[in-house]
Amino acid sequence: MKDMDATVAQAVPAASTDAERVEAARGGDQQAFSGLYQAHAGRLMTVLWRLAGGDRGLAEDWLQDAFVQAWNKLDQLRDPAAFGGWLKRLAINIALGEKRRGRLISVDVEVDASAPEPPWPAADLDLERAIARLPERSRQVLVLFHLSDLGHAEIAELMGIETGTSKAQLHRARNLLKEMLA
Amino acid sequence: MTPNDSRPENSVMDDSELDRRLDALTRIAEPPPDNWTAIERRIRKRRWPKALSAGLAAAAVVAGIALVVLQIGPTPVSSGGLAETMKAEVQAMRVAAPETPAASDIDSPASLMAAWQDNQQAIAQLEQALEHDPDNRLLLEFLTEARMRQARLVRSIGLNQTPNNERSMNL
């Protein structure tokens, strides 16, 4: 990892903004793109791991897919400075889309009740595990609202549900968490 | 009623405590170390520009039709003539670029639909050309490739369907 950081630092000045990196990456500069990965992957990973219900492999697959899609679609990004938000939506769409497709094959697979371990030093392991045990829809809304800073309108759009449903799922998730953590 | 029944609310965490604990959760972690290597490997593959994809399909159809016209025209074309040159050009085009873009390159439903429609048009033109010259092997090859590409696109569209766009993509 340190080697890669050094390579990135050489290719892209430390003060490079997302916009500068995006412009360079559009021209095929993979090192500039790795700078974008360094800047955003850590934040995305925490969201994706929680959306995946604590499945680290799945979260890492989604993270990879998000960056590969971002690379392929960089030309479609109108405002390079908005890369972070655009990438987040890409990643969330991948995560939610895969869950929807998965449901067509195996209907409502029971949430793994084992105790997942976050791939980072957990500040509150009990809460992390309680979130992972939430029913899928409720967990998705809670993670997007509280841990990805999205509003109900945006969550509803991403999940293909009504705004009221998003609010109801959040209410349900919070109540379940309070009961689990009591 | 038992004493426990009378105080369920007391044992449940309050909202402010839950908010405090949610706010304190880790928001940024170290990126997975091996992931970048995997991403780098996947993006190292040459990107397949969509415009080139459509252009190549159109060029292939035009070349195929031109070949048919030359072969059924009043003046016979020598084996070393224009038809052979065109055939070589078409083969060179095939070699220069992969036969179809990766699904991840055109994986938005709109892009997939556009590619599907382009390809459908190409198939129709090739079938029309084959009516004039049923034994033209090059045209048959083109048609086979186009149909295989169409099957892959249909599969990609199926994989990319979400409840929101299923209604608009009746395939």
Side-chain angles (χ1 to χ4, degrees):
Chain A
M1 180 59 64
K2 280 185 179 170
D3 288 347
M4 191 181 77
D5 288 344
T7 312
V8 171
Q10 271 185 341
V12 183
S16 282
T17 62
D18 277 359
E20 288 166 343
R21 286 171 173 148
V22 167
E23 290 299 347
R26 276 176 174 167
D29 185 343
Q30 290 191 9
Q31 289 184 339
F33 193 66
S34 76
L36 290 167
Y37 176 82
Q38 287 296 305
H40 295 280
R43 186 179 295 273
L44 269 186
M45 186 60 195
T46 59
V47 173
L48 294 177
W49 183 83
R50 288 164 182 146
L51 283 177
D55 185 335
R56 182 177 180 170
L58 186 58
E60 290 186 358
D61 283 350
W62 289 344
L63 188 68
Q64 269 188 38
D65 289 347
F67 275 93
V68 171
Q69 273 201 22
W71 170 261
N72 288 328
K73 293 179 174 177
L74 269 181
D75 292 340
Q76 296 174 20
L77 175 60
R78 287 180 190 167
D79 177 10
F83 176 82
W86 178 73
L87 176 70
K88 183 166 78 175
R89 283 183 70 96
L90 265 184
I92 290 170
N93 266 323
I94 288 168
L96 298 179
E98 188 154 310
K99 285 287 182 185
R100 279 195 291 260
R101 284 197 295 274
R103 223 181 247 144
L104 295 175
I105 301 162
S106 54
V107 179
D108 274 336
V109 174
E110 197 65 33
V111 176
D112 184 4
S114 65
E117 196 78 36
W120 55 81
D124 190 339
L125 192 55
D126 289 341
L127 179 54
E128 294 282 13
R129 287 175 174 171
I131 292 172
R133 285 198 300 271
L134 285 172
E136 187 176 277
R137 275 276 166 119
S138 304
R139 182 177 68 247
Q140 288 170 343
V141 172
L142 180 116
V143 169
L144 296 179
F145 187 86
H146 281 296
L147 302 165
S148 196
D149 303 320
L150 299 182
H152 282 296
E154 204 170 359
I155 293 170
E157 186 194 335
L158 283 163
M159 293 182 66
I161 58 176
E162 298 295 323
T163 308
T165 309
S166 172
K167 290 177 181 173
Q169 289 288 358
L170 180 66
H171 183 71
R172 182 184 180 211
R174 288 177 60 91
N175 281 342
L176 286 169
L177 282 182
K178 286 188 282 184
E179 283 172 20
M180 282 191 253
L181 296 167
Chain B
M1 181 179 285
T2 67
N4 281 343
D5 291 333
S6 65
R7 56 174 186 81
E9 297 301 320
N10 295 340
S11 63
V12 174
M13 178 191 290
D14 66 29
D15 281 309
S16 59
E17 172 66 3
L18 178 60
D19 283 334
R20 188 193 62 74
R21 289 178 69 171
L22 284 168
D23 286 344
L25 284 179
T26 303
R27 303 296 183 103
I28 302 178
E30 183 76 14
D34 299 332
N35 243 33
W36 171 250
T37 314
I39 292 167
E40 195 177 26
R41 200 168 43 240
R42 287 172 67 184
I43 66 176
R44 196 176 290 149
K45 290 183 215 160
R46 190 179 172 83
R47 268 199 275 173
W48 178 257
K50 286 168 210 150
L52 181 60
S53 168
L56 186 63
V61 170
V62 169
I65 291 170
L67 202 56
V68 170
V69 169
L70 285 169
Q71 284 178 348
I72 64 174
T75 313
V77 179
S78 69
S79 60
L82 185 56
E84 286 302 313
T85 308
M86 197 169 284
K87 190 173 177 179
E89 289 277 336
V90 170
Q91 293 293 355
M93 274 196 301
R94 272 195 196 148
V95 172
E99 68 179 74
T100 189
S104 60
D105 291 346
I106 50 163
D107 49 10
S108 77
S111 304
L112 287 168
M113 279 302 292
W116 184 85
Q117 281 164 353
D118 285 346
N119 207 43
Q120 191 66 23
Q121 203 172 7
I123 287 173
Q125 287 174 308
L126 284 166
E127 284 172 341
Q128 200 175 7
L130 272 165
E131 279 177 15
H132 293 289
D133 186 6
D135 296 322
N136 188 316
R137 289 184 61 189
L138 192 58
L139 283 177
L140 281 168
E141 277 180 40
F142 275 132
L143 185 60
T144 307
E145 284 177 11
R147 283 182 174 153
M148 287 172 68
R149 190 180 304 121
Q150 201 71 335
R152 281 192 293 272
L153 283 166
V154 167
R155 186 169 167 271
S156 297
I157 290 167
L159 290 173
N160 278 274
Q161 275 187 343
T162 66
N164 279 342
N165 61 25
E166 272 168 0
R167 284 187 292 276
S168 61
M169 298 171 80
N170 296 318
L171 294 173

